[in-house]
Amino acid sequence: MPAPLTWDIFCRVIDNYGDAAVCWRLACQLAREQRARVRLWVDQLAVLHALCPDVNVTLPRQQVSGVEVRPWADEWPPSTELNDVVVEAFGCGLPEPYVAAMLARTPPPLWITLEYLSAEAWVAEHHGLPSPHPRLPLDRYFFFPGFAAGTGGVLREGDLAARRAAFGEAGRGEFWRSCGFSSPTAGSLVVSLFAYAGAPAEALLKCWEHGNEPIVAAVPDGHMAGRVREYFGASDRVATARLRRGRLEARILPFVPQLRYDELLWSCDINFVRGEDSFVRAQWAERPFIWHVYPQEAGAHRLKLDTFLDSYAAGLERGAAAVLRTLSYQWNLMDGPPVNLADTWRVFRQHVEALNRHASGWVGHVGRIGDMATNLAQFARDRVK
Ligand code: TRH
């Protein structure tokens, strides 16, 4: 068996958690499942620390979960040796001295540009294509994650299904306890809420408060938790809070480590997620979910949402598909402030069982193209000379 490849992954945090979240997950999976030696360079270690509290933000070099974590600072550490594969995540660029060293080596390391996840049709056509560097005699290969055959797939650890299956009722009880709560009362609908500032959260909270069933909204600490506190008129900022009015109970949870975010999703009946990584994890949770797409200029995110819903809802019964799209549009403010969100929610609620069944089928469908880390490792093995 050939020796595992060595990897450098470069990541700049644009905003929020997603850039670091995807790179961290990829790095850990390559290290654990491919036995690869992985070095991850991140410009904001504090973001990585939020996702993985074992990361110490003050260390210039540390080994965490099998990955060598390095701060990516302006000053490049001299005499840093090259690795076989270099992943430039989300167009973050590479340090000049590193590129200079790549030019000096024959053959140069394999340079892979990892792109954002999208269900758009052109992704499969562009995935894996080489592209000459505009100035330098170096090729870069574009690696596109995706949901369809011909794309790079999406990240999914080999043991995820087993972890999820083993979680069960006891796991849920333990999850709530660890966050400072008892298990939600039987019969309540449990929903997690993770979204960007634009989401019409107050309108949804109002539906839930005045609805006809008990709802527990689990809100990880952050921007959305602030909105929920304000909705309830709660001024204190204690880490764990339970707020109640009408049929709604909101639970403000601590921001959990990434490894435990799955447990939050598995502890809920419906998940509101956003961006890229939480969106993918909600799919693996095999529960109904509503995606808040990362807002882009000139409404480019509308196409991302539409193309995803087109693929996801293929085979879903018509009523469920229609209300999934309506609620997704309203949550993403696609057509201005939502009108009759309460009606949409009521209809969505009626289709939760159908959406639940569909969620498992989707996992089987996406699983057939293999997971992204395995696909990426194979892609690299095929090209490293
Ligand atoms: O944080 P995000 O919005 O990240 C991104 C960035 O905005 C990025 O610039 C953009 O391009 C990209 O989205 C599309 O959403 P995302 O991708 O879901 O990342 C959030 C991560 O945080 C994910 O790994 C789950 C994790 N998480 C926790 O670990 N604990 C928590 O309590 C919560 C709520 C999330």
Side-chain angles (χ1 to χ4, degrees):
M1 199 172 171
L5 298 175
T6 59
W7 296 68
D8 270 312
I9 301 177
F10 286 91
C11 171
R12 272 191 207 287
V13 174
I14 308 292
D15 55 12
N16 307 318
Y17 303 99
D19 310 280
V22 170
C23 291
W24 177 240
R25 208 180 273 295
L26 171 64
C28 292
Q29 206 184 328
L30 287 172
R32 201 175 59 243
E33 297 179 14
Q34 302 293 326
R35 296 183 301 110
R37 205 176 75 219
V38 185
R39 197 163 48 177
L40 173 63
W41 302 86
V42 184
D43 68 338
Q44 294 184 33
L45 280 191
V47 175
L48 200 54
H49 171 80
L51 296 164
C52 175
D54 287 345
V55 171
N56 181 330
V57 296
T58 65
L59 293 179
R61 181 194 293 241
Q62 60 197 302
Q63 201 70 23
V64 184
S65 303
V67 174
E68 183 182 334
V69 176
R70 304 287 296 267
W72 181 5
D74 290 342
E75 200 164 320
W76 184 248
S79 66
T80 305
E81 77 285 10
L82 297 178
N83 277 331
D84 302 321
V85 190
V86 183
V87 176
E88 175 198 355
F90 313 125
C92 68
L94 297 181
E96 287 291 330
Y98 193 95
V99 175
M102 285 170 80
L103 280 167
R105 200 181 90 169
T106 314
L110 178 69
W111 183 344
I112 296 176
T113 302
L114 174 64
E115 294 291 341
Y116 286 113
L117 171 64
S118 173
E120 289 162 84
W122 58 266
V123 163
E125 288 153 32
H126 290 77
H127 169 61
L129 294 183
S131 157
H133 191 282
R135 285 178 295 110
L136 306 169
L138 287 170
D139 273 343
R140 296 169 300 172
Y141 287 84
F142 287 94
F143 194 94
F144 283 90
F147 301 102
T151 70
V154 274
L155 287 171
R156 185 189 190 189
E157 299 81 3
D159 64 353
L160 182 63
R163 273 180 54 222
R164 179 176 171 274
F167 186 65
E169 202 48 51
R172 277 190 285 279
E174 179 45 36
F175 175 78
W176 291 115
R177 250 192 314 283
S178 72
C179 292
F181 295 99
S182 52
S183 292
T185 322
S188 25
L189 184 78
V190 188
V191 185
S192 77
L193 262 192
F194 184 45
Y196 297 114
E202 293 73 15
L204 194 62
L205 295 169
K206 196 168 159 203
C207 305
W208 292 345
E209 178 186 342
H210 300 288
N212 55 11
E213 69 180 329
I215 296 207
V216 173
V219 194
D221 205 9
H223 160 81
M224 188 53 67
R227 299 255 302 269
V228 171
R229 282 194 178 93
E230 223 166 90
Y231 178 82
F232 279 91
S235 51
D236 55 335
R237 274 202 49 90
V238 284
T240 298
R242 183 197 302 251
L243 305 159
R244 278 191 252 216
R245 207 160 61 212
R247 310 305 311 271
L248 173 63
E249 172 187 332
R251 296 179 169 194
I252 311 294
L253 317 178
F255 187 90
V256 295
Q258 192 187 54
L259 204 58
R260 303 207 61 209
Y261 181 64
D262 288 321
E263 298 181 8
L264 169 60
L265 300 174
W266 301 337
S267 298
C268 293
D269 302 304
I270 299 170
N271 293 299
F272 284 70
V273 289
R274 73 185 202 189
E276 181 158 328
D277 191 61
S278 59
F279 161 59
V280 169
R281 304 314 280 190
Q283 294 170 47
W284 300 146
E286 300 189 26
R287 303 273 156 81
F289 64 93
I290 296 294
W291 180 30
H292 199 188
V293 196
Y294 183 71
Q296 285 172 284
E297 276 177 25
H301 54 291
R302 185 179 191 120
L303 188 61
K304 273 194 140 182
L305 177 63
D306 270 331
T307 47
F308 174 72
L309 288 174
D310 290 347
S311 323
Y312 185 78
L316 179 59
E317 56 189 64
R318 202 188 297 185
V323 74
L324 175 64
R325 193 174 295 262
T326 305
L327 185 54
S328 302
Y329 277 16
Q330 293 189 337
W331 189 240
N332 282 276
L333 298 186
M334 286 301 176
D335 300 313
V339 180
N340 296 336
L341 187 60
D343 286 344
T344 309
W345 174 258
R346 191 176 40 74
V347 179
F348 181 81
R349 183 66 189 88
Q350 287 161 5
H351 288 93
V352 161
E353 277 319 308
L355 287 160
N356 241 325
R357 287 191 298 275
H358 184 74
S360 307
W362 173 254
V363 165
H365 166 75
V366 179
R368 278 193 280 282
I369 58 171
D371 83 88
M372 188 186 110
T374 308
N375 292 340
L376 182 64
Q378 187 58 50
F379 185 85
R381 273 195 299 272
D382 291 344
R383 283 161 187 80
V384 169
K385 296 160 188 110

